[in-house]
Amino acid sequence: MEIGDTKENIVIVGGGICGLATALALHRKGIRSVVLERSNTLRATGAAIIVHPNGWRALDQLGVASHLRETAIPILSGQFHSLNNDELKEMPVGKEELRCLRRTDLVDILANSLPRNTLHLGCEVLSIKLDPITSSPVLQLQGGRLLNAKIVIGCDGVNSAISNMMGVKAEKIFTISVIRGFTSYPNGHELGSQFRLTKKNDTQVGQLPMTKNLVYWFITRKYTCQDSMASKSQKLIRNLAVDSVEGFPTGIIEMAKNCELDSLHLTEYLRYHAPWDILRRRFREGTVTLAGDAMHAMGPFLAQGGSACLEDAIVLARCLARTTQIHRNARGTKMQVEEAFDEYLKERKMRVLRLSLQMYLIGKMLDASSQFVKFICIILLAVLFSDSHGHTRYDCGSL
Ligand SMILES: Cc1cc2nc3c(=O)[nH]c(=O)nc-3n(C[C@H](O)[C@H](O)[C@H](O)COP(=O)(O)OP(=O)(O)OC[C@H]3O[C@@H](n4cnc5c(N)ncnc54)[C@H](O)[C@@H]3O)c2cc1C
């Protein structure tokens, strides 16, 4: 099918991790969909992604985990170093599988596992409306074309056009910026299989081994107006990274200086959906629903946004297949599809609410200038999330 046609059964808007995983999960259940991605190439900004055990369980269900395991070594231990008081302590990483994947490896395998003609690049959705008579979704594509769909799944990220239609916006912001990138070590790095986090005042540097010769790193720090300037050029981002780690151990300074320029990415501030918005929103309008960051952008402090996308994909495909029995042609009635989406949202809501609340409290603790607010966040985290790794044991179940 060309997206010159005017009708489609299931349309997924956005070909990021969530859109591709959702299309693949549906495909594994024998359900055909199309993915509309506005970029002309698959996007994998941000160098790498940390995947916790819950994410690996979802990747196993999608049938792509074993291939991805070959691309990244497992992370077996963690170390936290505070430069303020020279405190060095072990940082628990959990007993189960933790690895860091190249984003390109992840999106490529998801995309390559899809049937031909599923993914349509260079196809931007400008807006969506429900037909006043049939209540079916009608998408307006760039170039003025209209596409009628039976089902629309908005996986179009934090600035989602589909969630706009539902009045769901990621309006909150943490004034924290993040620089991410890779550094190659032709003679091998010294991390072994250890995740290292080094902190000095408001700046944190994370280092994760990907292979014996490649390290993924991130620097989080308070947003400054320098960041907006720096985001315009890879060299400026590198300079900012080097400036940010002044006073850090030599290994970290060298890592920033010798980074792979192309891999660098600067996120100027972090946009998220507030937990209370996730609690009160419906996330469905007729046969249109949301998944991934479009529904629950939550900041990177637990490194769970991507894994939550994979979980969404599994649960959504399972609910749609079970409730509607719409194999291949989406022949379920409108009511069956709505029921399936309600079941999906019921299952996902409490999970993403807990994740986003934990992430919100960590973000507030890092972002707030008031010591009192920081203290309250620490208390709430200790009371509500005493098992700080509990989120990684979640199992989204079988496809
Ligand atoms: C600094 C940082 C570090 C992170 N680290 C981790 C980590 O280590 N582990 C982890 O699990 N998560 C991490 N995350 C979160 C994770 O990156 C996101 O949760 C995840 O990428 C969201 O995927 P998505 O597919 O929902 O959205 P996106 O990745 O934003 O994809 C949306 C896609 O939709 C397309 N699109 C947008 N609008 C339209 C339109 N109108 N028409 C057509 N296409 C459209 C976009 O081009 C894009 O390709 C991090 C996030 C940040 C900011």
Side-chain angles (χ1 to χ4, degrees), residues 13-19 36-39 43 49-50 103 123-125 155-157 161 178 180 267 270 291-293 300 303-307 309:
V13 182
I17 296 170
C18 190
L36 310 184
E37 165 56 47
R38 72 174 165 201
S39 302
R43 286 173 71 246
I49 182 161
I50 301 167
R103 283 188 184 245
C123 206
E124 181 168 7
V125 173
C155 301
D156 46 345
V178 188
R180 293 173 277 173
T267 308
L270 301 164
D293 275 12
Q304 275 288 3
S307 292
C309 290

PDB file of all heavy atoms in Angstrom, residues 13-19 36-39 43 49-50 103 123-125 155-157 161 178 180 267 270 291-293 300 303-307 309, ligand 1:
ATOM      1  N   VAL A  13       1.025   6.289  14.495  1.00  0.00           N
ATOM      2  CA  VAL A  13       1.695   7.550  14.156  1.00  0.00           C
ATOM      3  C   VAL A  13       2.991   7.634  14.958  1.00  0.00           C
ATOM      4  O   VAL A  13       2.971   7.628  16.191  1.00  0.00           O
ATOM      5  CB  VAL A  13       0.788   8.763  14.463  1.00  0.00           C
ATOM      6  CG1 VAL A  13       1.484  10.059  14.048  1.00  0.00           C
ATOM      7  CG2 VAL A  13      -0.544   8.621  13.755  1.00  0.00           C
ATOM      8  N   GLY A  14       4.133   7.678  14.251  1.00  0.00           N
ATOM      9  CA  GLY A  14       5.440   7.761  14.911  1.00  0.00           C
ATOM     10  C   GLY A  14       6.196   6.447  14.815  1.00  0.00           C
ATOM     11  O   GLY A  14       5.694   5.403  15.214  1.00  0.00           O
ATOM     12  N   GLY A  15       7.403   6.528  14.266  1.00  0.00           N
ATOM     13  CA  GLY A  15       8.232   5.325  14.093  1.00  0.00           C
ATOM     14  C   GLY A  15       9.442   5.358  15.010  1.00  0.00           C
ATOM     15  O   GLY A  15      10.556   5.036  14.593  1.00  0.00           O
ATOM     16  N   GLY A  16       9.232   5.743  16.279  1.00  0.00           N
ATOM     17  CA  GLY A  16      10.291   5.621  17.289  1.00  0.00           C
ATOM     18  C   GLY A  16      10.206   4.216  17.901  1.00  0.00           C
ATOM     19  O   GLY A  16       9.579   3.309  17.331  1.00  0.00           O
ATOM     20  N   ILE A  17      10.827   4.053  19.056  1.00  0.00           N
ATOM     21  CA  ILE A  17      10.838   2.733  19.706  1.00  0.00           C
ATOM     22  C   ILE A  17       9.406   2.233  19.898  1.00  0.00           C
ATOM     23  O   ILE A  17       9.094   1.069  19.609  1.00  0.00           O
ATOM     24  CB  ILE A  17      11.540   2.811  21.090  1.00  0.00           C
ATOM     25  CG1 ILE A  17      13.008   3.173  20.903  1.00  0.00           C
ATOM     26  CG2 ILE A  17      11.404   1.511  21.860  1.00  0.00           C
ATOM     27  CD1 ILE A  17      13.723   3.519  22.192  1.00  0.00           C
ATOM     28  N   CYS A  18       8.533   3.113  20.360  1.00  0.00           N
ATOM     29  CA  CYS A  18       7.182   2.670  20.693  1.00  0.00           C
ATOM     30  C   CYS A  18       6.368   2.285  19.458  1.00  0.00           C
ATOM     31  O   CYS A  18       5.727   1.227  19.435  1.00  0.00           O
ATOM     32  CB  CYS A  18       6.466   3.774  21.468  1.00  0.00           C
ATOM     33  SG  CYS A  18       4.929   3.194  22.143  1.00  0.00           S
ATOM     34  N   GLY A  19       6.413   3.139  18.436  1.00  0.00           N
ATOM     35  CA  GLY A  19       5.628   2.851  17.225  1.00  0.00           C
ATOM     36  C   GLY A  19       6.089   1.567  16.550  1.00  0.00           C
ATOM     37  O   GLY A  19       5.272   0.731  16.138  1.00  0.00           O
ATOM     38  N   LEU A  36       3.419   5.565  10.325  1.00  0.00           N
ATOM     39  CA  LEU A  36       3.755   6.804   9.613  1.00  0.00           C
ATOM     40  C   LEU A  36       4.799   7.566  10.420  1.00  0.00           C
ATOM     41  O   LEU A  36       4.541   7.953  11.575  1.00  0.00           O
ATOM     42  CB  LEU A  36       2.518   7.684   9.435  1.00  0.00           C
ATOM     43  CG  LEU A  36       1.262   7.019   8.860  1.00  0.00           C
ATOM     44  CD1 LEU A  36       0.162   8.061   8.650  1.00  0.00           C
ATOM     45  CD2 LEU A  36       1.553   6.291   7.568  1.00  0.00           C
ATOM     46  N   GLU A  37       5.971   7.752   9.827  1.00  0.00           N
ATOM     47  CA  GLU A  37       7.066   8.447  10.526  1.00  0.00           C
ATOM     48  C   GLU A  37       7.427   9.702   9.734  1.00  0.00           C
ATOM     49  O   GLU A  37       7.681   9.628   8.534  1.00  0.00           O
ATOM     50  CB  GLU A  37       8.272   7.510  10.656  1.00  0.00           C
ATOM     51  CG  GLU A  37       9.584   8.184  11.033  1.00  0.00           C
ATOM     52  CD  GLU A  37       9.545   9.008  12.332  1.00  0.00           C
ATOM     53  OE1 GLU A  37       9.038   8.509  13.337  1.00  0.00           O
ATOM     54  OE2 GLU A  37      10.021  10.176  12.303  1.00  0.00           O
ATOM     55  N   ARG A  38       7.478  10.832  10.421  1.00  0.00           N
ATOM     56  CA  ARG A  38       7.691  12.093   9.693  1.00  0.00           C
ATOM     57  C   ARG A  38       9.124  12.249   9.177  1.00  0.00           C
ATOM     58  O   ARG A  38       9.346  12.890   8.164  1.00  0.00           O
ATOM     59  CB  ARG A  38       7.293  13.286  10.543  1.00  0.00           C
ATOM     60  CG  ARG A  38       8.227  13.578  11.663  1.00  0.00           C
ATOM     61  CD  ARG A  38       7.848  14.867  12.366  1.00  0.00           C
ATOM     62  NE  ARG A  38       8.550  14.908  13.632  1.00  0.00           N
ATOM     63  CZ  ARG A  38       8.188  15.646  14.643  1.00  0.00           C
ATOM     64  NH1 ARG A  38       7.120  16.400  14.571  1.00  0.00           N
ATOM     65  NH2 ARG A  38       8.879  15.639  15.751  1.00  0.00           N
ATOM     66  N   SER A  39      10.120  11.666   9.873  1.00  0.00           N
ATOM     67  CA  SER A  39      11.502  11.817   9.402  1.00  0.00           C
ATOM     68  C   SER A  39      11.731  10.957   8.164  1.00  0.00           C
ATOM     69  O   SER A  39      11.042   9.961   7.954  1.00  0.00           O
ATOM     70  CB  SER A  39      12.484  11.362  10.474  1.00  0.00           C
ATOM     71  OG  SER A  39      12.292  12.082  11.628  1.00  0.00           O
ATOM     72  N   ARG A  43      14.932   7.520  13.354  1.00  0.00           N
ATOM     73  CA  ARG A  43      15.628   8.393  14.308  1.00  0.00           C
ATOM     74  C   ARG A  43      16.123   7.580  15.503  1.00  0.00           C
ATOM     75  O   ARG A  43      15.395   6.736  16.015  1.00  0.00           O
ATOM     76  CB  ARG A  43      14.679   9.471  14.816  1.00  0.00           C
ATOM     77  CG  ARG A  43      14.384  10.555  13.792  1.00  0.00           C
ATOM     78  CD  ARG A  43      13.309  11.479  14.307  1.00  0.00           C
ATOM     79  NE  ARG A  43      13.765  12.318  15.397  1.00  0.00           N
ATOM     80  CZ  ARG A  43      13.296  12.235  16.634  1.00  0.00           C
ATOM     81  NH1 ARG A  43      12.411  11.328  16.950  1.00  0.00           N
ATOM     82  NH2 ARG A  43      13.723  13.054  17.561  1.00  0.00           N
ATOM     83  N   ILE A  49      20.598   3.444  24.967  1.00  0.00           N
ATOM     84  CA  ILE A  49      19.461   3.344  25.875  1.00  0.00           C
ATOM     85  C   ILE A  49      19.741   2.211  26.861  1.00  0.00           C
ATOM     86  O   ILE A  49      20.171   1.129  26.464  1.00  0.00           O
ATOM     87  CB  ILE A  49      18.155   3.128  25.076  1.00  0.00           C
ATOM     88  CG1 ILE A  49      16.949   3.068  25.991  1.00  0.00           C
ATOM     89  CG2 ILE A  49      18.187   1.880  24.200  1.00  0.00           C
ATOM     90  CD1 ILE A  49      15.638   3.332  25.244  1.00  0.00           C
ATOM     91  N   ILE A  50      19.533   2.507  28.133  1.00  0.00           N
ATOM     92  CA  ILE A  50      19.718   1.484  29.169  1.00  0.00           C
ATOM     93  C   ILE A  50      18.438   0.653  29.204  1.00  0.00           C
ATOM     94  O   ILE A  50      17.337   1.211  29.249  1.00  0.00           O
ATOM     95  CB  ILE A  50      19.945   2.156  30.543  1.00  0.00           C
ATOM     96  CG1 ILE A  50      21.179   3.057  30.480  1.00  0.00           C
ATOM     97  CG2 ILE A  50      20.069   1.118  31.645  1.00  0.00           C
ATOM     98  CD1 ILE A  50      21.332   3.998  31.665  1.00  0.00           C
ATOM     99  N   ARG A 103      20.983   2.878  20.320  1.00  0.00           N
ATOM    100  CA  ARG A 103      19.601   3.124  19.884  1.00  0.00           C
ATOM    101  C   ARG A 103      19.399   2.649  18.443  1.00  0.00           C
ATOM    102  O   ARG A 103      18.336   2.136  18.099  1.00  0.00           O
ATOM    103  CB  ARG A 103      19.241   4.607  20.028  1.00  0.00           C
ATOM    104  CG  ARG A 103      18.956   4.957  21.488  1.00  0.00           C
ATOM    105  CD  ARG A 103      18.412   6.360  21.651  1.00  0.00           C
ATOM    106  NE  ARG A 103      18.245   6.651  23.061  1.00  0.00           N
ATOM    107  CZ  ARG A 103      17.077   6.868  23.660  1.00  0.00           C
ATOM    108  NH1 ARG A 103      15.961   6.843  22.976  1.00  0.00           N
ATOM    109  NH2 ARG A 103      17.016   7.126  24.949  1.00  0.00           N
ATOM    110  N   CYS A 123       6.527  10.828   6.338  1.00  0.00           N
ATOM    111  CA  CYS A 123       5.061  10.925   6.299  1.00  0.00           C
ATOM    112  C   CYS A 123       4.560  11.567   7.595  1.00  0.00           C
ATOM    113  O   CYS A 123       4.377  10.890   8.606  1.00  0.00           O
ATOM    114  CB  CYS A 123       4.546   9.488   6.169  1.00  0.00           C
ATOM    115  SG  CYS A 123       2.977   9.411   5.391  1.00  0.00           S
ATOM    116  N   GLU A 124       4.387  12.860   7.555  1.00  0.00           N
ATOM    117  CA  GLU A 124       4.027  13.580   8.787  1.00  0.00           C
ATOM    118  C   GLU A 124       2.512  13.726   8.936  1.00  0.00           C
ATOM    119  O   GLU A 124       1.819  14.097   7.985  1.00  0.00           O
ATOM    120  CB  GLU A 124       4.675  14.965   8.793  1.00  0.00           C
ATOM    121  CG  GLU A 124       4.340  15.723  10.065  1.00  0.00           C
ATOM    122  CD  GLU A 124       5.157  16.977  10.273  1.00  0.00           C
ATOM    123  OE1 GLU A 124       5.911  17.347   9.349  1.00  0.00           O
ATOM    124  OE2 GLU A 124       5.031  17.571  11.349  1.00  0.00           O
ATOM    125  N   VAL A 125       2.040  13.435  10.122  1.00  0.00           N
ATOM    126  CA  VAL A 125       0.617  13.651  10.422  1.00  0.00           C
ATOM    127  C   VAL A 125       0.499  15.042  11.030  1.00  0.00           C
ATOM    128  O   VAL A 125       1.150  15.335  12.039  1.00  0.00           O
ATOM    129  CB  VAL A 125       0.112  12.584  11.423  1.00  0.00           C
ATOM    130  CG1 VAL A 125      -1.309  12.896  11.867  1.00  0.00           C
ATOM    131  CG2 VAL A 125       0.196  11.199  10.797  1.00  0.00           C
ATOM    132  N   CYS A 155       1.936   7.194  18.716  1.00  0.00           N
ATOM    133  CA  CYS A 155       3.248   6.892  19.333  1.00  0.00           C
ATOM    134  C   CYS A 155       4.210   7.978  18.895  1.00  0.00           C
ATOM    135  O   CYS A 155       5.363   7.702  18.557  1.00  0.00           O
ATOM    136  CB  CYS A 155       3.769   5.528  18.861  1.00  0.00           C
ATOM    137  SG  CYS A 155       2.683   4.165  19.231  1.00  0.00           S
ATOM    138  N   ASP A 156       3.731   9.215  18.855  1.00  0.00           N
ATOM    139  CA  ASP A 156       4.506  10.290  18.247  1.00  0.00           C
ATOM    140  C   ASP A 156       5.231  11.164  19.275  1.00  0.00           C
ATOM    141  O   ASP A 156       5.505  12.338  19.020  1.00  0.00           O
ATOM    142  CB  ASP A 156       3.645  11.123  17.285  1.00  0.00           C
ATOM    143  CG  ASP A 156       2.295  11.505  17.862  1.00  0.00           C
ATOM    144  OD1 ASP A 156       1.900  10.903  18.872  1.00  0.00           O
ATOM    145  OD2 ASP A 156       1.648  12.402  17.322  1.00  0.00           O
ATOM    146  N   GLY A 157       5.566  10.555  20.405  1.00  0.00           N
ATOM    147  CA  GLY A 157       6.512  11.191  21.309  1.00  0.00           C
ATOM    148  C   GLY A 157       5.950  12.332  22.140  1.00  0.00           C
ATOM    149  O   GLY A 157       4.745  12.586  22.182  1.00  0.00           O
ATOM    150  N   ALA A 161       1.051  15.030  18.192  1.00  0.00           N
ATOM    151  CA  ALA A 161      -0.123  15.666  17.574  1.00  0.00           C
ATOM    152  C   ALA A 161      -1.383  14.902  17.968  1.00  0.00           C
ATOM    153  O   ALA A 161      -2.470  15.482  18.062  1.00  0.00           O
ATOM    154  CB  ALA A 161       0.042  15.659  16.044  1.00  0.00           C
ATOM    155  N   VAL A 178      20.789  17.307  29.715  1.00  0.00           N
ATOM    156  CA  VAL A 178      21.532  16.047  29.642  1.00  0.00           C
ATOM    157  C   VAL A 178      22.344  16.017  28.345  1.00  0.00           C
ATOM    158  O   VAL A 178      21.809  16.257  27.267  1.00  0.00           O
ATOM    159  CB  VAL A 178      20.573  14.824  29.653  1.00  0.00           C
ATOM    160  CG1 VAL A 178      21.374  13.528  29.775  1.00  0.00           C
ATOM    161  CG2 VAL A 178      19.545  14.912  30.767  1.00  0.00           C
ATOM    162  N   ARG A 180      24.581  13.378  26.098  1.00  0.00           N
ATOM    163  CA  ARG A 180      24.848  11.928  25.983  1.00  0.00           C
ATOM    164  C   ARG A 180      25.773  11.675  24.816  1.00  0.00           C
ATOM    165  O   ARG A 180      25.735  12.407  23.818  1.00  0.00           O
ATOM    166  CB  ARG A 180      23.540  11.177  25.718  1.00  0.00           C
ATOM    167  CG  ARG A 180      22.575  11.216  26.861  1.00  0.00           C
ATOM    168  CD  ARG A 180      21.249  10.606  26.478  1.00  0.00           C
ATOM    169  NE  ARG A 180      20.370  11.516  25.788  1.00  0.00           N
ATOM    170  CZ  ARG A 180      19.210  11.179  25.245  1.00  0.00           C
ATOM    171  NH1 ARG A 180      18.814   9.933  25.282  1.00  0.00           N
ATOM    172  NH2 ARG A 180      18.454  12.078  24.642  1.00  0.00           N
ATOM    173  N   THR A 267      20.035  17.311  25.404  1.00  0.00           N
ATOM    174  CA  THR A 267      18.614  17.575  25.710  1.00  0.00           C
ATOM    175  C   THR A 267      18.621  18.768  26.653  1.00  0.00           C
ATOM    176  O   THR A 267      19.138  18.681  27.770  1.00  0.00           O
ATOM    177  CB  THR A 267      17.967  16.353  26.407  1.00  0.00           C
ATOM    178  OG1 THR A 267      18.225  15.196  25.625  1.00  0.00           O
ATOM    179  CG2 THR A 267      16.464  16.530  26.556  1.00  0.00           C
ATOM    180  N   LEU A 270      13.996  18.799  30.370  1.00  0.00           N
ATOM    181  CA  LEU A 270      13.260  17.529  30.282  1.00  0.00           C
ATOM    182  C   LEU A 270      11.776  17.770  30.444  1.00  0.00           C
ATOM    183  O   LEU A 270      11.324  18.271  31.483  1.00  0.00           O
ATOM    184  CB  LEU A 270      13.762  16.584  31.378  1.00  0.00           C
ATOM    185  CG  LEU A 270      15.266  16.284  31.288  1.00  0.00           C
ATOM    186  CD1 LEU A 270      15.777  15.675  32.590  1.00  0.00           C
ATOM    187  CD2 LEU A 270      15.546  15.349  30.118  1.00  0.00           C
ATOM    188  N   ALA A 291       0.396   5.659  23.175  1.00  0.00           N
ATOM    189  CA  ALA A 291       1.379   4.780  23.814  1.00  0.00           C
ATOM    190  C   ALA A 291       2.723   5.504  23.844  1.00  0.00           C
ATOM    191  O   ALA A 291       2.943   6.463  23.102  1.00  0.00           O
ATOM    192  CB  ALA A 291       1.495   3.471  23.042  1.00  0.00           C
ATOM    193  N   GLY A 292       3.627   5.028  24.697  1.00  0.00           N
ATOM    194  CA  GLY A 292       4.974   5.610  24.771  1.00  0.00           C
ATOM    195  C   GLY A 292       4.971   7.017  25.344  1.00  0.00           C
ATOM    196  O   GLY A 292       4.078   7.397  26.113  1.00  0.00           O
ATOM    197  N   ASP A 293       5.970   7.808  24.945  1.00  0.00           N
ATOM    198  CA  ASP A 293       6.101   9.169  25.484  1.00  0.00           C
ATOM    199  C   ASP A 293       4.882  10.039  25.200  1.00  0.00           C
ATOM    200  O   ASP A 293       4.629  11.003  25.922  1.00  0.00           O
ATOM    201  CB  ASP A 293       7.353   9.847  24.890  1.00  0.00           C
ATOM    202  CG  ASP A 293       8.610   9.502  25.684  1.00  0.00           C
ATOM    203  OD1 ASP A 293       8.547   8.580  26.523  1.00  0.00           O
ATOM    204  OD2 ASP A 293       9.655  10.148  25.458  1.00  0.00           O
ATOM    205  N   PRO A 300      14.374  10.967  32.439  1.00  0.00           N
ATOM    206  CA  PRO A 300      15.235   9.786  32.290  1.00  0.00           C
ATOM    207  C   PRO A 300      15.834   9.234  33.592  1.00  0.00           C
ATOM    208  O   PRO A 300      16.702   8.382  33.532  1.00  0.00           O
ATOM    209  CB  PRO A 300      16.359  10.345  31.407  1.00  0.00           C
ATOM    210  CG  PRO A 300      16.477  11.772  31.825  1.00  0.00           C
ATOM    211  CD  PRO A 300      15.100  12.217  32.265  1.00  0.00           C
ATOM    212  N   ALA A 303      15.746   5.652  33.810  1.00  0.00           N
ATOM    213  CA  ALA A 303      16.023   5.003  32.521  1.00  0.00           C
ATOM    214  C   ALA A 303      14.959   3.954  32.222  1.00  0.00           C
ATOM    215  O   ALA A 303      15.269   2.789  31.936  1.00  0.00           O
ATOM    216  CB  ALA A 303      17.421   4.385  32.526  1.00  0.00           C
ATOM    217  N   GLN A 304      13.692   4.356  32.294  1.00  0.00           N
ATOM    218  CA  GLN A 304      12.606   3.404  32.093  1.00  0.00           C
ATOM    219  C   GLN A 304      11.648   3.789  30.971  1.00  0.00           C
ATOM    220  O   GLN A 304      10.766   3.005  30.620  1.00  0.00           O
ATOM    221  CB  GLN A 304      11.792   3.260  33.391  1.00  0.00           C
ATOM    222  CG  GLN A 304      12.360   2.252  34.373  1.00  0.00           C
ATOM    223  CD  GLN A 304      12.160   0.803  33.915  1.00  0.00           C
ATOM    224  OE1 GLN A 304      11.649   0.516  32.840  1.00  0.00           O
ATOM    225  NE2 GLN A 304      12.573  -0.135  34.730  1.00  0.00           N
ATOM    226  N   GLY A 305      11.813   4.996  30.386  1.00  0.00           N
ATOM    227  CA  GLY A 305      10.860   5.438  29.360  1.00  0.00           C
ATOM    228  C   GLY A 305      10.788   4.469  28.182  1.00  0.00           C
ATOM    229  O   GLY A 305       9.702   4.120  27.705  1.00  0.00           O
ATOM    230  N   GLY A 306      11.944   4.016  27.719  1.00  0.00           N
ATOM    231  CA  GLY A 306      11.986   3.115  26.561  1.00  0.00           C
ATOM    232  C   GLY A 306      11.397   1.752  26.888  1.00  0.00           C
ATOM    233  O   GLY A 306      10.633   1.184  26.105  1.00  0.00           O
ATOM    234  N   SER A 307      11.746   1.239  28.069  1.00  0.00           N
ATOM    235  CA  SER A 307      11.205  -0.071  28.454  1.00  0.00           C
ATOM    236  C   SER A 307       9.687   0.018  28.646  1.00  0.00           C
ATOM    237  O   SER A 307       8.958  -0.927  28.312  1.00  0.00           O
ATOM    238  CB  SER A 307      11.864  -0.568  29.746  1.00  0.00           C
ATOM    239  OG  SER A 307      13.216  -0.863  29.499  1.00  0.00           O
ATOM    240  N   CYS A 309       7.760   1.874  26.927  1.00  0.00           N
ATOM    241  CA  CYS A 309       7.216   1.846  25.556  1.00  0.00           C
ATOM    242  C   CYS A 309       7.053   0.393  25.088  1.00  0.00           C
ATOM    243  O   CYS A 309       6.042   0.034  24.462  1.00  0.00           O
ATOM    244  CB  CYS A 309       8.185   2.478  24.561  1.00  0.00           C
ATOM    245  SG  CYS A 309       8.369   4.227  24.695  1.00  0.00           S
TER     246      CYS A 309
HETATM  247  C1  LIG B   1      18.165  12.290  28.149  1.00  0.00           C
HETATM  248  C2  LIG B   1      17.300  11.065  28.029  1.00  0.00           C
HETATM  249  C3  LIG B   1      17.840   9.809  28.340  1.00  0.00           C
HETATM  250  C4  LIG B   1      17.025   8.669  28.284  1.00  0.00           C
HETATM  251  N1  LIG B   1      17.557   7.461  28.600  1.00  0.00           N
HETATM  252  C5  LIG B   1      16.769   6.364  28.613  1.00  0.00           C
HETATM  253  C6  LIG B   1      17.311   5.081  28.950  1.00  0.00           C
HETATM  254  O1  LIG B   1      18.492   4.938  29.208  1.00  0.00           O
HETATM  255  N2  LIG B   1      16.455   4.014  28.985  1.00  0.00           N
HETATM  256  C7  LIG B   1      15.128   4.139  28.667  1.00  0.00           C
HETATM  257  O2  LIG B   1      14.389   3.136  28.702  1.00  0.00           O
HETATM  258  N3  LIG B   1      14.597   5.333  28.316  1.00  0.00           N
HETATM  259  C8  LIG B   1      15.379   6.437  28.267  1.00  0.00           C
HETATM  260  N4  LIG B   1      14.861   7.648  27.907  1.00  0.00           N
HETATM  261  C9  LIG B   1      13.443   7.713  27.513  1.00  0.00           C
HETATM  262  C10 LIG B   1      13.252   7.162  26.106  1.00  0.00           C
HETATM  263  O3  LIG B   1      14.218   7.708  25.235  1.00  0.00           O
HETATM  264  C11 LIG B   1      11.863   7.501  25.593  1.00  0.00           C
HETATM  265  O4  LIG B   1      10.914   7.142  26.557  1.00  0.00           O
HETATM  266  C12 LIG B   1      11.545   6.766  24.295  1.00  0.00           C
HETATM  267  O5  LIG B   1      12.513   7.032  23.308  1.00  0.00           O
HETATM  268  C13 LIG B   1      10.183   7.211  23.774  1.00  0.00           C
HETATM  269  O6  LIG B   1       9.929   6.547  22.572  1.00  0.00           O
HETATM  270  P1  LIG B   1       8.643   6.943  21.695  1.00  0.00           P
HETATM  271  O7  LIG B   1       8.677   6.043  20.528  1.00  0.00           O
HETATM  272  O8  LIG B   1       7.435   6.979  22.565  1.00  0.00           O
HETATM  273  O9  LIG B   1       8.913   8.450  21.279  1.00  0.00           O
HETATM  274  P2  LIG B   1      10.048   9.040  20.320  1.00  0.00           P
HETATM  275  O10 LIG B   1      11.321   8.303  20.483  1.00  0.00           O
HETATM  276  O11 LIG B   1      10.063  10.513  20.556  1.00  0.00           O
HETATM  277  O12 LIG B   1       9.515   8.731  18.867  1.00  0.00           O
HETATM  278  C14 LIG B   1       8.433   9.441  18.330  1.00  0.00           C
HETATM  279  C15 LIG B   1       8.537   9.339  16.823  1.00  0.00           C
HETATM  280  O13 LIG B   1       7.379   9.931  16.258  1.00  0.00           O
HETATM  281  C16 LIG B   1       7.774  10.757  15.176  1.00  0.00           C
HETATM  282  N5  LIG B   1       6.744  11.796  15.044  1.00  0.00           N
HETATM  283  C17 LIG B   1       6.509  12.823  15.898  1.00  0.00           C
HETATM  284  N6  LIG B   1       5.477  13.545  15.476  1.00  0.00           N
HETATM  285  C18 LIG B   1       5.039  12.974  14.325  1.00  0.00           C
HETATM  286  C19 LIG B   1       4.001  13.278  13.419  1.00  0.00           C
HETATM  287  N7  LIG B   1       3.187  14.320  13.637  1.00  0.00           N
HETATM  288  N8  LIG B   1       3.828  12.487  12.332  1.00  0.00           N
HETATM  289  C20 LIG B   1       4.642  11.405  12.139  1.00  0.00           C
HETATM  290  N9  LIG B   1       5.661  11.085  12.958  1.00  0.00           N
HETATM  291  C21 LIG B   1       5.851  11.849  14.043  1.00  0.00           C
HETATM  292  C22 LIG B   1       9.139  11.303  15.570  1.00  0.00           C
HETATM  293  O14 LIG B   1       9.876  11.707  14.436  1.00  0.00           O
HETATM  294  C23 LIG B   1       9.742  10.098  16.277  1.00  0.00           C
HETATM  295  O15 LIG B   1      10.447   9.253  15.398  1.00  0.00           O
HETATM  296  C24 LIG B   1      15.657   8.791  27.924  1.00  0.00           C
HETATM  297  C25 LIG B   1      15.133  10.045  27.602  1.00  0.00           C
HETATM  298  C26 LIG B   1      15.948  11.167  27.654  1.00  0.00           C
HETATM  299  C27 LIG B   1      15.348  12.507  27.313  1.00  0.00           C
END
